[in-house]
């Protein structure tokens, strides 16, 4: 084979490799668009992504629970649809609507987890978590529903906060319905001391709180929220609008301090 032919084949092979890499890069950009932000810890895209996430009629969700809505232990708020973490008498309330399959929710949690726990333990805020299942509706599957039920089962055991964090640390790709497998949810419970018990397993496998989760999801839809995560500090969105300051760890702490000025911190006690 002539050197000229060899060079031509190498050039063609190099072009093919480059084209494949460009295709992979385009695919990666498409997959990560919904979790991209301009600055680490700043969730400026959350409002945009939220609009996309909320524009669904739920037809893709084939998992419709039946039976009465059984609220988890200690659930609070209207219709007992909130799971509270932190002291009941904390001066400020952070309300968070989340979906365990939502990648932007994971981004928020992974960026602000330590800050939220610090503010909770210092008695500065209580966090009311509301669970939604919009990704099941968008992408199909049942992972949002089953993960939320498992989290409610963890609440029954007094371990919601720890298990909630484990789920977000181990969140699968949005297009993968890994959380739709109860065995996976039970396996992740092993990462929380004392959670993997026969009672927890039965609660997960029986879908004990499925109807409660769907009632929570309906409240999310009825509430007119743009998408997940929806995060409200004393009823006001923490995400920037019309030139507002961008959310960051420093700004969140500052906003809480301003809201709590002159108020006594709550008594930091674990969620029952």
């Amino acid at each position: 084979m002539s050197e000229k032919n060899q060079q031509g084949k190498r050039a063609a092979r190099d072009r093919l490799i480059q084209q494949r890499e460009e295709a992979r890069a385009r695919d990666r950009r498409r997959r990560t668009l919904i979790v991209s932000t301009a600055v680490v810890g700043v969730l400026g895209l959350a409002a945009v992504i939220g609009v996309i996430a909320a524009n669904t009629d739920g037809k893709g969700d084939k998992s419709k629970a039946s039976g009465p809505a059984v609220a988890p232990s200690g659930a609070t708020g209207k219709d007992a649809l909130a799971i509270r973490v932190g002291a009941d008498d904390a001066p400020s309330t952070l309300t968070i609507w989340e979906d365990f399959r939502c990648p932007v929710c994971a981004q928020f949690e992974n960026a602000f987890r330590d800050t939220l726990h610090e503010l909770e333990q210092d008695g500065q805020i209580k966090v009311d978590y509301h669970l939604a299942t919009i990704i099941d509706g968008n992408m199909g599957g049942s992972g949002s529903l089953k993960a939320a039920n498992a989290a409610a089962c963890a609440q029954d055991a007094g371990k919601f906060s720890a298990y909630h964090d484990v789920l977000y640390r181990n969140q699968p790709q949005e297009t993968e319905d890994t959380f739709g497998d109860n065995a996976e949810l039970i396996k992740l419970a092993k990462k929380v001391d004392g959670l993997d018990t026969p009672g927890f397993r039965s609660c997960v496998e029986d879908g004990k709180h499925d109807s409660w989760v769907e009632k929570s999801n309906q409240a999310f839809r009825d509430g007119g929220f743009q998408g997940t995560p929806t995060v409200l500090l004393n009823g006001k969105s923490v995400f920037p609008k019309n030139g507002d300051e961008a959310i960051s760890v420093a700004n969140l702490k500052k906003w809480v301090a301003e809201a709590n000025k002159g108020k006594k911190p709550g008594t930091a006690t674990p969620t029952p």
Side-chain angles (χ1 to χ4, degrees):
M1 183 180 295
S2 69
E3 182 177 347
K4 184 175 181 181
N5 286 341
Q6 289 176 338
Q7 289 176 344
K9 288 191 174 184
R10 281 196 297 269
R13 184 174 62 249
D14 290 344
R15 285 195 300 271
L16 180 59
I17 291 173
Q18 183 179 359
Q19 289 170 355
R20 287 175 177 172
E21 287 300 319
E22 289 174 350
R24 291 192 186 103
R26 286 193 300 271
D27 186 59
R28 285 194 296 270
R29 286 195 296 271
R30 178 181 61 80
R31 288 176 179 271
T32 60
L33 173 62
I34 57 176
V35 294
S36 299
T37 56
V39 180
V40 174
V42 178
L43 301 180
L45 284 182
V48 176
I49 301 307
V51 173
I52 298 172
N55 283 338
T56 172
D57 58 9
K59 291 180 180 178
D61 185 0
K62 305 301 182 184
S63 302
K64 293 301 179 184
S66 59
V70 179
S73 175
T76 188
K78 183 180 179 181
D79 296 327
L81 293 178
I83 295 178
R84 176 166 292 173
V85 177
D88 284 335
D89 58 347
S92 284
T93 302
L94 199 68
T95 303
I96 302 179
W97 290 84
E98 292 182 323
D99 181 327
F100 283 111
R101 287 180 71 186
C102 162
V104 183
C105 297
Q107 185 182 29
F108 172 80
E109 287 293 338
N110 293 332
F112 289 90
R113 178 182 297 115
D114 292 345
T115 302
L116 297 185
H117 288 328
E118 177 186 337
L119 292 170
E120 291 161 3
Q121 291 302 313
D122 288 345
Q124 299 301 310
I125 63 170
K126 53 185 174 290
V127 182
D128 285 349
Y129 288 96
H130 297 260
L131 307 180
T133 63
I134 58 175
I135 304 301
D136 285 355
N138 285 351
M139 307 298 297
S142 60
S144 299
L145 173 65
K146 290 188 175 183
N149 171 67
C153 295
Q155 170 68 9
D156 288 339
K159 298 180 182 294
F160 169 82
S161 183
Y163 187 63
H164 164 276
D165 292 352
V166 164
L167 289 177
Y168 276 117
R169 286 191 176 104
N170 294 273
Q171 186 189 70
Q173 292 289 326
E174 183 189 20
T175 53
E176 298 175 5
D177 194 32
T178 306
F179 284 168
D181 181 1
N182 286 331
E184 177 67 17
L185 297 169
I186 291 170
K187 182 176 75 174
L188 290 174
K190 297 180 186 297
K191 296 178 179 290
V192 179
D193 289 344
L195 180 57
D196 183 20
T197 64
F200 174 80
R201 289 182 174 220
S202 176
C203 182
V204 171
E205 291 168 348
D206 294 345
K208 178 180 178 180
H209 300 296
D210 282 359
S211 292
W212 175 84
V213 173
E214 292 196 342
K215 187 174 180 180
S216 177
N217 185 62
Q218 189 59 51
F220 169 80
R221 295 183 180 281
D222 293 344
F225 302 112
Q226 288 188 316
T228 56
T230 289
V231 185
L232 311 172
L233 176 60
N234 297 327
K236 181 180 179 181
S237 176
V238 301
F239 296 124
K241 291 183 180 179
N242 301 324
D244 290 346
E245 286 184 284
I247 185 173
S248 66
V249 167
N251 277 344
L252 181 58
K253 288 183 175 180
K254 181 184 74 171
W255 297 336
V256 170
E258 290 172 348
N260 291 352
K261 188 175 181 179
K263 301 176 183 178
K264 294 181 179 180
T267 303
T269 54
T271 301

